[in-house]
Amino acid sequence: MASKLNESTGKSLWLFVLMLLTTCVALGQYSTSTADTTCIQRDLAEVIREARGLPQKVKEDDAGSLLLIPIIGSNPATGFMLGVGGQYAFKMPEATRYSLLSGSAQVTTKNQYIFMLKNTVYSRR
């Protein structure tokens, strides 16, 4: 009985070591030293402006960005729902990270009004 237990523990240990080595090899393929320059990153607004023949806007580094999307859904508790969701991203003065304000407003067929507001604000300290 004891030899089967030791054999089972030994197999589990080798399997664990093999999984660790496989993960290290898989994660070792990513390089952070150089950026991929084969594809230029553009915003959706830039693509739409280009397609319509409008001039591109010059965006400041500290300018905010607003995204609004429609919300359509249903579930047993609320019924059918319609609403709008949005997110505003901005940088505080001298901050290194973008701060976010997210929210939504929804109306349901069961006479419910759902409001959600969430924030993540970073300062320089």
Side-chain angles (χ1 to χ4, degrees):
M1 180 75 171
S3 71
K4 285 186 181 182
L5 183 62
N6 287 338
E7 185 178 317
S8 172
T9 305
K11 286 182 182 180
S12 297
L13 182 62
W14 280 110
L15 183 60
F16 178 71
V17 171
L18 180 65
M19 286 186 341
L20 282 177
L21 291 175
T22 304
T23 304
C24 292
V25 171
L27 292 177
Q29 295 176 7
Y30 295 103
S31 173
T32 58
S33 61
T34 59
D36 182 18
T37 57
T38 58
C39 184
I40 298 170
Q41 181 177 350
R42 299 188 308 172
D43 292 335
L44 180 60
E46 292 175 11
V47 174
I48 293 171
R49 285 183 152 285
E50 183 180 305
R52 295 178 63 198
L54 299 173
Q56 297 296 328
K57 284 187 176 180
V58 178
K59 192 171 183 180
E60 299 175 20
D61 287 339
D62 294 338
S65 175
L66 178 65
L67 171 68
L68 294 174
I69 55 171
I71 297 174
I72 302 171
S74 70
N75 67 45
T78 61
F80 186 74
M81 68 178 81
L82 288 173
V84 65
Q87 179 172 316
Y88 180 68
F90 62 96
K91 276 192 175 181
M92 299 282 281
E94 299 181 22
T96 58
R97 300 172 128 184
Y98 276 97
S99 298
L100 298 172
L101 296 174
S102 301
S104 68
Q106 302 165 30
V107 178
T108 71
T109 55
K110 294 189 176 182
N111 294 325
Q112 296 174 333
Y113 300 95
I114 303 169
F115 298 98
M116 188 273 303
L117 185 61
K118 177 180 163 184
N119 66 8
T120 306
V121 179
Y122 295 103
S123 67
R124 68 181 181 148
R125 292 184 188 208

